């Protein structure tokens, strides 16, 4: 049988091979909250030596999946952009869940399912509920990609969201992102990131002790309930109680 040439629009195999290595996958996952990490911290999180982590980071840099910035003697790595995060989230949706073997792992999984960052926007149960509340309130219209209504722009501006800057961003404005734990969409894009930033700046959410975890404050629970007519958008235990 004569082999046939297969036309390709992009060399996806080279990118897939970079992600396929367990150490590189662990490094990329550690960077999924959008913040930069030093090489030594990435080595610890991936469970490898600094030299091994350095070799893998070099390959990820060459492949365009991460960027690096130097501060003094340290080099800090982050994902190249939201597109890389989107690919990793899609892979997470079709990948098997790791077995939970300890109480600590069980608690970590529960916290990630409740509220976490998906690169730079709110995900998990809290993110799904927030998007549903925005749609139900008439603040967003659409399905796979959303647009703000007049009342929505007013409400989000009062929350502290810079809507104009989000519109001017080169990113998609307000796409839906299928949540890999909830199997329902949360809000992504420039608007999703701007809302999450406003929630953090208002101290309605705080970064948790574990990477990617976001935890609501008592102030945030009350603020969101007031904004959405008493709807419960967060878990019942705020961060101020969870850390006692």
């Amino acid at each position: 049988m004569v082999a046939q040439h297969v036309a390709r629009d992009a060399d996806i195999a080279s990118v897939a091979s970079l992600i396929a290595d367990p150490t590189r996958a662990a490094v990329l996952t550690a960077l999924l909250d959008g913040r930069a990490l030093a090489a030594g911290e990435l080595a610890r999180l991936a469970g490898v030596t600094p030299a091994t982590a350095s070799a893998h980071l070099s390959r990820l840099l060459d492949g365009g999946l991460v960027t690096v910035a130097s501060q003094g003697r340290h080099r800090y790595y982050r994902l190249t952009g939201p597109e890389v995060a989107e690919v990793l989230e899609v892979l997470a949706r079709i990948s098997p869940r790791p077995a939970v073997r300890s109480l600590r792992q069980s608690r970590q999984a529960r916290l990630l399912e409740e509220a976490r960052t998906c690169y730079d926007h709110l995900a998990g149960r809290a993110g799904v509920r927030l998007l549903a509340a925005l749609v139900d309130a008439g603040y967003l219209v659409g399905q796979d990609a959303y647009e703000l209504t007049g009342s929505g722009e007013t409400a989000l501006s009062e929350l502290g969201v810079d809507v104009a800057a989000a519109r001017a961003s080169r990113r998609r404005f307000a796409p839906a992102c299928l949540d890999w734990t909830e199997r329902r969409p949360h809000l992504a894009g420039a608007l999703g990131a701007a809302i999450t930033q406003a929630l953090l700046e208002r101290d309605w959410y705080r970064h948790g002790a574990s990477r990617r975890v976001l935890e609501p404050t008592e102030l945030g629970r009350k603020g969101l309930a007031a904004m959405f007519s008493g709807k419960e958008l967060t878990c019942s235990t705020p961060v101020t109680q969870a850390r006692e």
Side-chain angles (χ1 to χ4, degrees):
M1 184 175 180
V2 179
Q4 295 182 339
H5 173 71
V6 179
R8 294 174 295 183
D9 294 326
D11 185 11
I12 62 174
S14 62
V15 176
S17 67
L18 285 174
I19 300 173
D21 179 87
T23 297
R24 291 194 290 275
V27 166
L28 292 169
T29 300
L31 295 172
L32 256 177
D33 69 351
R35 290 181 287 180
L37 285 177
E41 177 68 2
L42 289 169
R44 185 186 68 79
L45 291 170
V48 296
T49 65
T52 298
S54 179
H56 284 292
L57 285 166
S58 179
R59 292 197 60 183
L60 291 172
L61 276 169
D62 291 341
L65 297 186
V66 301
T67 60
V68 64
S70 298
Q71 290 187 3
R73 297 182 301 163
H74 299 286
R75 305 183 78 196
Y76 292 89
Y77 296 83
R78 67 186 339 137
L79 296 183
T80 301
E83 299 85 1
V84 178
E86 289 173 11
V87 170
L88 296 174
E89 287 285 325
V90 170
L91 288 173
R93 291 202 297 270
I94 62 175
S95 301
R97 302 287 293 275
V100 175
R101 305 185 185 278
S102 68
L103 183 61
R104 180 180 180 183
Q105 288 178 332
S106 176
R107 182 176 184 274
Q108 168 77 359
R110 178 178 59 80
L111 291 173
L112 284 171
E113 289 172 358
E114 180 57 38
R116 66 182 183 277
T117 49
C118 176
Y119 189 59
D120 57 3
H121 53 270
L122 180 64
R125 194 168 296 115
V128 169
R129 288 174 178 172
L130 177 60
L131 174 57
L134 288 166
V135 172
D136 290 345
Y139 295 161
L140 287 176
V141 292
Q143 189 169 2
D144 296 326
Y146 298 90
E147 186 53 70
L148 267 178
T149 63
S151 60
E153 185 155 352
T154 299
L156 292 184
S157 295
E158 290 175 354
L159 181 64
V161 176
D162 190 340
V163 176
R167 290 191 189 280
S169 171
R170 296 176 63 182
R171 294 172 66 177
R172 289 183 294 168
F173 178 62
C177 179
L178 185 61
D179 197 276
W180 69 269
T181 54
E182 292 297 296
R183 300 297 193 267
R184 291 187 292 159
H186 59 249
L187 185 64
L191 184 63
I195 291 173
T196 303
Q197 184 61 33
L199 293 174
L200 291 168
E201 289 177 352
R202 280 204 165 203
D203 197 33
W204 286 15
Y205 271 92
R206 296 177 188 171
H207 289 287
S210 302
R211 305 265 334 156
R212 299 189 66 192
V213 168
L214 293 179
E215 296 178 333
T217 64
E218 182 64 29
L219 179 65
R221 292 181 66 235
K222 292 178 178 177
L224 287 168
M227 184 176 178
F228 295 105
S229 303
K231 286 188 177 180
E232 183 62 58
L233 304 187
T234 65
C235 63
S236 58
T237 305
V239 64
T240 51
Q241 296 178 19
R243 290 183 175 177
E244 289 179 358

